[in-house]
Amino acid sequence: SACEKGGQWAKAVGLLSDIALARVELNRNTYSAAIKACERGSSWQNSLAMFSNMSVQLPEPSGMILGSVINSCSSVSAWVLACNLLHTELERWQTLDRFTASL
């Protein structure tokens, strides 16, 4: 969060990597803070990479974090990527809903 406010997206990415290397469990809040820092710094590639990692580790959807990633993409006019990500996540969320409903 401090990295986001200070515009230090590279520091946020480094901290996230350090935390993962120390085998500390990353959670939604950790990813959210790093992704928001990247959004603020227009580092859409890092936002996408972190969101991808988060989606594998934490299967529960997060619309707020997805919004940050899409904003990162839109800031550099990467609308095709943003639309593809939105479509992919919608399909994933629908699959999770069907799975949960079948339990």
Side-chain angles (χ1 to χ4, degrees), residues 62-80:
S62 172
M64 292 184 74
I65 297 172
L66 176 60
S68 292
V69 176
I70 289 173
N71 282 339
S72 292
C73 292
S74 69
S75 70
V76 294
S77 299
W79 285 106
V80 173

Side-chain angles (χ1 to χ4, degrees), residues 22-87:
R23 299 189 189 268
V24 174
E25 185 177 329
L26 299 172
N27 61 32
R28 191 166 313 286
N29 294 332
T30 311
Y31 276 109
S32 178
I35 288 171
K36 285 181 180 183
C38 289
E39 173 191 6
R40 186 172 181 140
S42 299
S43 180
W44 61 273
Q45 298 98 330
N46 285 308
S47 291
L48 284 171
M50 283 187 279
F51 188 80
S52 177
N53 290 339
M54 183 193 80
S55 296
V56 170
Q57 293 179 7
L58 307 170
E60 296 174 3
S62 172
M64 292 184 74
I65 297 172
L66 176 60
S68 292
V69 176
I70 289 173
N71 282 339
S72 292
C73 292
S74 69
S75 70
V76 294
S77 299
W79 285 106
V80 173
L81 287 172
C83 289
N84 287 340
L85 177 62
L86 188 58
H87 178 74

